[in-house]
Structures are given as structure tokens and as C-alpha cells.
């Protein structure tokens, strides 16, 4: 089992966002999960729906899925809300809703193998930061700690962001920065897990969630003599 490939963080461009019960959630689309499993197992894996339940009174569909690969079996529930017509409130397609719930079950099964697990770690970090009560995430606290240690750069005097044109509008690291971090870390012999742990220790988030400025700092750190 290629554990390193399974646990490899997804590219920032693959990470989408949607509104959840506790704020905005990061997620990866089903086809990216399938591609990761295909790459890791060379297509020798299977997924089946063991059971499903349509709970109309709660507008919810539940699916129990099973993922099998190289003799390892993982099972987990998936769910989705029943999609209804905005005006008539009639159900649009139970078939499409079942497929959505099955995809959710596949994603959750895959997390047991490490696929996309970093997304859940980041989500937990945000929730924990919110529970601190100061309105600041742990990531923010960690980044401030890092800057207080002497890495703070002067703020732009003209009030404009120093983020270059073409970078992500949400302030997250660019694809070029992500590639540079992975390449430099590999050159230094750091595994993806060690790299993400270093990022967590320094900035409070894993590599895919670094801001543009934090990514620039991290690249400089990785390129400095050991």
C-alpha cells in the first residue's frame, strides 16, 4: 500500500469550499478521491453500497459503503440532503441523491486510508481555535507567535496587499509556492507527514492552507541551511 501517496495533501486548486453547519468547509470532489485511489492502488480497489435508507421526514439519505483494497476493508456512512424543487417542494431525483450519498461514503471510507485526512485536521484546528473564545483561530495565534519570534515583515505602507497579481484571491498560497515547498522538502528528505507537521508547528495549519505570506516565509525557512 502506497501510504505516502494516499496521504499526500491535495493541490490547493483541488480544494473547494462549501457552507456547513459550523461555517465554511473545505472538501475535495469525488473524482479527485477516485483518481487518488486509482494512483495508489493502480485501479485495484472496489467500493460497494451495503445498505441505504431514505428518511423523508428529515429530508436525508443515508448510505453505508465499503471500500476494499489490498485486503484492507473500510466501511463508513455517507449522507446527503434530499433535493427538492424550490417551488413545489417535490423530490427532484432520488437516484442523484443516492449517488451523492454514496460518494460521501466513499470519501469517508478513503479518509481511513489517509486520503484527504489533512482537510479534517485543518477543520478541527479551526473549530478548536473558535472554541478558544478570543475570535482567533489557532492558526492565527501560531502565525503571530512565529512573527513575534523575529520573522515579522514590515506592513505595506501604502495600505495595499503585497500579494502579487495572479495569486489566489483568497490569500492562500499559489500553486507555484505549493510546488516549491514540496520540491524543497523532498530535497531535504522530509516526508509529507513531517512537512505538514513542521507547517503546523510554525503556522498552525498544514501546507495547503498556508497564506501567501506564510508560504513565502516557509519556503525561505526550507531553503535555509539545516
Amino acid at each position: 500500500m502506497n501510504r505516502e501517496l494516499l496521504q499526500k495533501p491535495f493541490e490547493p486548486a483541488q480544494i473547494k469550499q462549501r457552507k456547513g453547519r459550523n461555517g465554511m468547509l473545505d472538501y475535495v470532489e469525488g473524482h479527485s478521491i477516485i483518481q487518488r485511489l486509482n494512483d495508489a492502488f493502480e485501479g485495484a480497489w472496489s467500493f460497494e453500497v451495503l445498505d441505504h435508507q431514505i428518511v423523508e421526514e428529515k429530508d436525508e439519505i443515508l448510505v453505508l459503503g465499503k471500500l476494499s483494497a489490498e485486503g484492507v476493508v473500510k466501511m463508513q456512512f455517507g449522507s446527503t440532503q434530499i433535493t427538492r424543487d424550490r417551488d413545489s417542494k417535490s423530490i427532484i431525483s432520488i437516484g442523484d441523491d443516492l449517488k451523492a450519498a454514496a460518494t460521501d461514503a466513499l470519501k469517508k471510507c478513503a479518509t481511513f486510508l489517509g486520503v484527504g485526512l489533512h482537510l479534517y485536521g485543518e477543520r478541527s484546528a479551526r473549530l478548536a481555535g473558535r472554541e478558544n473564545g478570543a475570535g482567533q483561530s489557532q492558526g492565527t495565534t501560531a502565525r503571530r507567535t512565529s512573527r513575534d519570534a523575529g520573522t515579522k515583515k514590515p506592513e505595506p505602507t501604502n495600505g495595499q496587499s503585497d500579494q502579487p497579481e495572479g495569486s489566489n484571491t483568497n490569500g492562500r498560497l499559489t500553486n507555484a509556492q505549493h510546488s516549491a515547498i514540496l520540491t524543497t522538502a523532498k530535497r531535504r528528505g522530509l516526508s509529507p507527514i513531517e512537512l505538514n507537521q513542521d507547517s503546523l508547528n510554525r503556522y498552525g495549519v498544514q501546507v495547503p492552507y498556508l497564506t501567501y505570506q506564510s508560504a513565502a516565509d516557509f519556503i525561505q525557512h526550507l531553503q535555509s541551511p539545516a
Side-chain angles (χ1 to χ4, degrees), residues 146-155:
S146 176
R147 289 174 178 176
D148 289 344
T151 59
K152 183 176 181 180
K153 294 185 176 182
E155 297 292 336

Side-chain angles (χ1 to χ4, degrees), residues 172-194:
R172 189 173 288 177
L173 81 170
T174 64
N175 289 334
Q177 286 181 312
H178 193 216
S179 296
I181 289 172
L182 296 180
T183 300
T184 308
K186 186 175 183 180
R187 191 180 302 135
R188 294 190 58 164
L190 291 174
S191 70
I193 294 177
E194 292 172 326

